[in-house]
Every structure is written in structure tokens, then in C-alpha cells.
Amino acid sequence: MQKVRKAVIPVAGLGTRFLPATKSMPKEMLPVVDRPVVQYAVDEAFEAGIEHIVFVTGRNKAVIEDYFDLHPELIGTLEQTGKKTQLEALESMLPVAGATSFIRQQSPQGLGHAVWCAREVIGDEPFALLLPDMVSFGGRGCLAETMDLYRQTGGNVIAVERCDPSETSKYGIVGRGTEAGSGFEVTAMVEKPAPANAPSNYYINGRYILQPEIFSLLGNQQRGAGNEIQLTDAMVRLSKSQSFYAQPFNGRMFDCGSKEGFIEATIAFALARNDMKGPVLEMLQAFVRSHERQEVAA
Ligand code: UTP
């Protein structure tokens, strides 16, 4: 079984659900507490043993590349003002030189097309894919768990979570087959099915390990939903000749590409920090009390 060494993080989407903020700021740079959304995915990937990250970027995304670079003026200022802890924290977040590549998706033609753009840098080996707007919370990190199942089964592995059965039409849903290691075999993959047609309520949560044969399928993939080149469509074709497995995530993924998910993530990460838990909890309780009083008065 070939080791998974590289990860693709696509960041070239337009982020229309977050307009107007995303007119001039990539949604991947929106901060959850004090770190941009994309930093969480990068940490998760390196913690899971990934050695090289390929970012698929586009116009107006240069700020992401700059973010993962040294900032001499800032370092100088922190040194002069004796802010050693902050300096060390900043330096520890920086990927090792040479451990990142940035390639261009000239126009956002869909997630499948973004992944296809990484084909030359990935080459002929299995790779991880992390959608950075999906932020992993709790457990050992979603990609680490997905890699565990890959080491047990090989093939292609998708991380999944359960949604409310009435909400399957919001997600990519997989069918549950027999148990395999810490997960199960995937029997079907359906994009946004109505509850009556959904093969289960396990939804694809934004972490994948894929075999390189996906690239040739993406290269001739017809446009699908939203007139975009859809990754799920190519995965369905790949599943005719290769196995797919699903790893249920033991933590929780927040969809920071949606406003509600982003607010939820901000609260969850703040409450998980010892330095913030107390005041944030107090603030939330005060908000709820005042909201309830207003509702009673209305
Ligand atoms: P999304 O579908 O969540 O991103 O793609 P989006 O299209 O930017 O968002 P909305 O729906 O308009 O608000 C998941 C990830 O894939 C990237 C996005 O940047 C995001 O991180 N992506 C998507 C690309 O890199 N290229 C694409 O063509 C589409």
C-alpha cells in the first residue's frame, strides 16, 4: 500500500455564500477566533502525517500564499518589543520551506476541476484532499482518522458524519455497506438526494483519500450540478473499478463556508480555550437572557 504523502487544499472558489465579505477577502482567510480558516486545515494535514500541501489558488487569493510566508517586519517588531511567546507561536505555524506548492485554477469551474489542476504536482500516488472551509473540531482531527482507515483498507476513503435524515438534500450522501476496519464499505454516492431517495444519512464532510486514477476521470468529466465539474461525479465513476470506504468522524466538522457554521465554529473554538471559555460563556448566557426578555416583552 502506497503511503499518503501529499494533500490538496483547494482555495480558488468564489465564496458567494459569504458575500460581500468575500468580494476582496478569500473566505479561507476569515478568522475563527484568531486563526484563519485555512490554518486549521493545514495544521490538521501536517498532524496527520502529510509532508507536502498543494494549494489550488485563483485570482484574489494571493493573500493566502503570503500568509504562509515569513513576515520580516512583524518578526522584527515582536523581537524588539519582547513578545517572545507570540513570535514562537507564529514561527511554529509556518510550514517547513519547500513543503507547500501553489498552483493556479484560472477560473473556478468546480471542485472536481480544482482537484484536477493538482495532477502534475501529485503525480502517480494516493493523496489527501481537505476542503478548508470545513473545519475539524474534536477527536484526533478528521484527516488522522481517515488515514487510519486507509491504512486498514487501502483504496479510496471518505470521511463522513450523520445529518438529520430530513436534511440529506444539503449534502453528498453515501450508502452504508458491510463493516470494514473502523469504518464501512461505500455502496453508493449521491449528490444532494431528497430524503426519500437518500441511501443513508451519512454525508461526506470534506476529507478524502483518493487514488491518482481520479485525475484521468476528472480530465474528461462532463459538467454536472451548477454547470461545474463535480468531484462526486468522478468518484462515482471511479467506484466502478475501485473500492471506496467511509470513516465516521469521531469529532465534528463545522461548515465555515456558511454563516451559521462559521458562527458555530467561532463559539465552539472559543469555548474550547481556557483563556476564553469563562468570559465567552458569560457573554452568551447574557445574550440568551436578554433575548428571552425581549421575546416575552414583544
Ligand atoms: P465550495 O463550493 O464550498 O466553495 O468549495 P465556493 O464555491 O467558494 O463557495 P460558495 O458556495 O460560492 O459560497 C469547497 C472548497 O473548494 C474550493 C473552495 O475555495 C473551497 O475551499 N473550490 C471550489 C475551488 O478551489 N475551485 C472551485 O472551482 C470551487
Side-chain angles (χ1 to χ4, degrees):
M1 182 190 304
Q2 249 184 309
K3 195 176 167 206
V4 178
R5 301 186 307 121
K6 298 178 188 170
V8 175
I9 301 190
V11 293
L14 296 177
T16 53
R17 283 171 293 162
F18 243 109
L19 283 168
T22 44
K23 264 175 83 181
S24 60
M25 149 117 146
K27 71 171 171 184
E28 296 82 5
M29 290 302 291
L30 293 169
V32 170
V33 185
D34 54 8
R35 296 195 296 166
V37 158
V38 68
Q39 176 82 57
Y40 291 90
V42 167
D43 291 349
E44 183 190 341
F46 285 129
E47 278 162 23
I50 293 297
E51 296 162 17
H52 191 101
I53 295 181
V54 184
F55 292 92
V56 181
T57 79
R59 269 159 44 78
N60 297 329
K61 302 281 181 159
V63 64
I64 299 176
E65 194 164 344
D66 290 342
Y67 173 78
F68 289 106
D69 202 352
L70 280 173
H71 195 320
E73 294 89 348
L74 182 60
I75 292 173
T77 308
L78 291 175
E79 270 168 357
Q80 279 162 21
T81 50
K83 295 189 169 150
K84 205 166 159 253
T85 322
Q86 269 162 295
L87 188 58
E88 281 168 5
L90 276 189
E91 284 176 349
S92 70
M93 281 181 196
L94 215 54
V96 175
T100 50
S101 300
F102 291 82
I103 55 170
R104 218 58 183 187
Q105 182 191 26
Q106 282 101 345
S107 67
Q109 298 179 46
L111 176 60
H113 183 260
V115 173
W116 177 75
C117 291
R119 67 200 179 282
E120 296 291 339
V121 190
I122 297 296
D124 192 22
E125 52 183 280
F127 63 99
L129 168 65
L130 299 94
L131 308 193
D133 45 355
M134 301 300 287
V135 175
S136 166
F137 180 77
R140 288 171 40 241
C142 191
L143 189 63
E145 292 185 9
T146 313
M147 294 273 251
D148 278 351
L149 181 58
Y150 172 76
R151 282 187 282 269
Q152 297 162 49
T153 59
N156 300 270
V157 182
I158 307 170
V160 293
E161 269 171 74
R162 293 184 101 145
C163 66
D164 190 294
S166 65
E167 297 201 326
T168 54
S169 60
K170 289 186 183 169
Y171 303 100
I173 302 287
V174 302
R176 185 184 171 125
T178 51
E179 269 182 35
S182 51
F184 58 84
E185 248 179 275
V186 171
T187 54
M189 289 177 264
V190 194
E191 201 51 64
K192 303 188 171 63
N197 303 326
S200 78
N201 64 340
Y202 282 100
Y203 71 92
I204 302 176
N205 76 1
R207 299 293 180 268
Y208 312 72
I209 292 168
L210 296 168
Q211 296 296 326
E213 287 75 20
I214 194 79
F215 290 123
S216 55
L217 296 173
L218 285 170
N220 62 21
Q221 183 62 50
Q222 306 273 317
R223 283 169 189 273
N227 201 29
E228 292 189 334
I229 296 174
Q230 297 287 351
L231 177 66
T232 309
D233 294 344
M235 291 198 304
V236 169
R237 287 167 68 210
L238 185 58
S239 69
K240 310 265 185 270
S241 57
Q242 292 190 8
S243 302
F244 274 73
Y245 302 92
Q247 171 62 52
F249 178 35
N250 288 305
R252 200 169 149 206
M253 202 67 101
F254 291 112
D255 179 5
C256 289
S258 81
K259 291 184 257 285
E260 298 78 10
F262 178 82
I263 292 167
E264 222 182 344
T266 304
I267 294 169
F269 277 91
L271 291 177
R273 276 176 53 159
N274 287 337
D275 61 333
M276 299 188 73
K277 186 178 173 177
V280 171
L281 203 55
E282 240 172 68
M283 180 183 75
L284 288 172
Q285 284 162 342
F287 263 130
V288 172
R289 281 195 299 270
S290 116
H291 191 75
E292 280 169 354
R293 274 199 301 274
Q294 278 166 23
E295 283 201 335
V296 171

